[in-house]
């Protein structure tokens, strides 16, 4: 349910992904951005989880599964107004108003300029001392359909979609070239308007541990998505049984095979919450190639 590849899309097409302008304010201690922007760049993001390819390590599933067609994240962003401010030497505060309906040039419906489905309000505050420690919260301005409950007319009951998260991303040992970073985060949602009522992700990133391989990076992570009661009851009505959570473990290693080419084998084990009458455990093996070219 949480996916296995953070660059996979259901419908491949050429599209405009981001287009925005940003203006520094207050002598560079604040910045205002307006345009099409990926909110996961500034919110619910751990740097040390960036090498893992399972989508849940990018943004929590309880937020990724919200809104009319998903929030402003890959593969479609949405109109955004975002304010970033610095507090003291290491503190920060980010806040944004985001169109609830994602859409860009190239999508079937294009860009929604009228914000007919309301907006997603999101804020995050924290400190970047030796990594990151932060707390965030989000809420939709327009009520969303309950996944299961209906009123007397058979129409879905409207609920306020809301949630919060906390994240830790800290350097344990080492310097910029070598060392180990640890990340841990957890999020919750209202549990009525999305398939997930919460989840957590934890793991580590180790850099330069192999002698003679300074570019080598090893990462391991565990991600669990907690299913909502509404989804589990719907699965039971279909004659199946759903566990309380889906859990995935990912192990990956990245290194340079050439100055311009990085190679990253990846292995995932997923304990699926439900899979009909089939096997619930799944192994996923992948290989990511990253080519970078620059002129000097």
């Amino acid at each position: 349910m949480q996916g296995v590849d953070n660059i996979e899309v259901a419908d491949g097409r050429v599209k405009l992904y981001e287009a925005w302008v940003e203006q520094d304010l207050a002598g560079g201690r604040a910045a205002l951005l307006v345009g099409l922007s990926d909110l996961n760049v500034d919110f619910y993001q751990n740097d040390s989880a960036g090498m893992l390819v399972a989508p849940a390590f990018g943004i929590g599933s309880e937020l990724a599964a919200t809104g009319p067609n998903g929030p402003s994240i890959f593969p479609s962003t949405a109109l955004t107004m975002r304010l970033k401010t610095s507090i003291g030497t290491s503190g920060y505060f980010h806040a944004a108003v985001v169109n609830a309906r994602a859409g860009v040039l190239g999508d079937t419906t294009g860009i929604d300029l009228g914000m007919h489905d309301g907006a997603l309000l999101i804020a995050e505050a924290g400190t970047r001392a030796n990594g990151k420690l932060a707390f965030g919260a989000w809420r939709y301005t327009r009520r969303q359909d309950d996944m299961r409950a209906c009123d007397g007319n058979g129409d879905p009951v409207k609920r306020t979609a809301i949630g919060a998260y906390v994240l830790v991303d800290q350097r344990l040992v080492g310097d910029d070239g070598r060392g180990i970073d640890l990340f841990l985060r957890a999020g919750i949602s209202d549990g009525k308007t999305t398939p997930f009522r919460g989840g957590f992700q934890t793991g580590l990133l180790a850099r330069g541990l192999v002698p003679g391989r300074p570019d080598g990076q090893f990462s391991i992570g565990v991600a669990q998505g907690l299913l909502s009661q509404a989804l589990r009851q719907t699965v039971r009505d279909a004659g199946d049984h759903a566990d309380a959570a889906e859990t995935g473990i990912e192990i990956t290693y990245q290194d340079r095979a050439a100055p311009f080419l990085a190679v990253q084998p990846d292995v995932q084990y997923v304990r699926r919450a439900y899979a009909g009458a089939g096997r619930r455990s799944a192994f996923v093996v992948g290989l990511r190639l990253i080519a970078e070219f620059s002129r000097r």
Side-chain angles (χ1 to χ4, degrees):
M1 290 185 63
Q2 300 185 91
V4 295
D5 181 357
N6 58 18
I7 64 173
E8 185 177 0
V9 295
D11 185 11
R13 58 175 55 141
V14 176
K15 64 171 67 178
L16 174 69
Y17 183 56
E18 287 191 299
W20 43 262
V21 293
E22 186 175 23
Q23 175 64 49
D24 285 346
L25 305 171
R29 295 192 62 83
L32 180 67
L33 177 147
V34 178
L36 299 170
S37 175
D38 187 333
L39 68 84
N40 195 208
V41 173
D42 299 298
F43 300 93
Y44 214 157
Q45 187 261 356
N46 294 83
D47 288 340
S48 60
M51 204 172 76
L52 297 166
V53 303
F57 294 110
I59 190 169
S61 299
E62 79 284 351
L63 177 53
T66 63
N69 62 342
S72 181
I73 58 175
F74 184 83
S76 293
T77 57
L79 288 173
T80 301
M81 179 180 290
R82 184 223 64 207
L83 177 67
K84 297 172 61 174
T85 61
S86 299
I87 304 173
T89 58
S90 60
Y92 71 91
F93 174 76
H94 298 166
V97 180
V98 186
N99 191 349
R101 179 170 291 278
V104 296
L105 295 177
D107 285 334
T108 302
T109 57
I111 302 173
D112 176 22
L113 299 175
M115 301 188 75
H116 302 294
D117 295 295
L120 167 64
L121 308 179
I122 186 168
E124 180 179 307
T127 175
R128 291 193 175 92
N130 194 39
K132 183 191 288 187
L133 172 63
F135 172 81
W138 53 268
R139 181 186 189 276
Y140 281 86
T141 61
R142 180 164 295 183
R143 289 175 174 261
Q144 309 286 314
D145 289 347
D146 189 290
M147 289 191 61
R148 185 170 179 84
C150 296
D151 59 22
N153 297 321
D155 298 321
V157 173
K158 298 294 184 179
R159 306 283 190 188
T160 299
I162 190 170
Y165 60 88
V166 61
L167 60 87
V168 180
D169 196 336
Q170 292 290 299
R171 175 71 48 82
L172 296 184
V173 293
D175 53 25
D176 290 340
R178 298 167 59 93
I180 298 176
D181 294 351
L182 175 70
F183 69 90
L184 171 66
R185 66 185 191 184
I188 58 172
S189 74
D190 58 278
K192 302 288 186 180
T193 59
T194 78
F196 299 96
R197 57 185 174 88
F200 79 89
Q201 304 84 37
T202 186
L204 61 83
L205 171 66
R207 305 174 317 281
L209 294 186
V210 179
R213 307 298 305 178
D215 295 323
Q217 299 183 80
F218 169 83
S219 187
I220 183 171
V222 178
Q224 185 174 81
L226 304 175
L227 273 61
S228 66
Q229 290 294 332
L231 176 64
R232 296 182 68 193
Q233 186 59 54
T234 301
V235 172
R236 285 193 289 266
D237 290 347
D240 200 359
H241 170 75
D243 292 339
E246 178 179 271
T247 304
I249 302 173
E250 180 176 355
I251 301 174
T252 190
Y253 180 81
Q254 183 184 110
D255 207 342
R256 290 198 175 275
F260 65 91
L261 181 65
V263 179
Q264 182 183 339
D266 184 87
V267 178
Q268 298 180 47
Y269 167 80
V270 181
R271 172 63 181 178
R272 290 179 284 184
Y274 66 94
R279 296 170 60 93
R280 291 194 175 183
S281 298
F283 282 94
V284 181
V285 179
L287 178 67
R288 175 171 285 182
L289 305 176
I290 303 173
E292 298 176 313
F293 302 92
S294 63
R295 294 182 61 185
R296 297 183 179 178

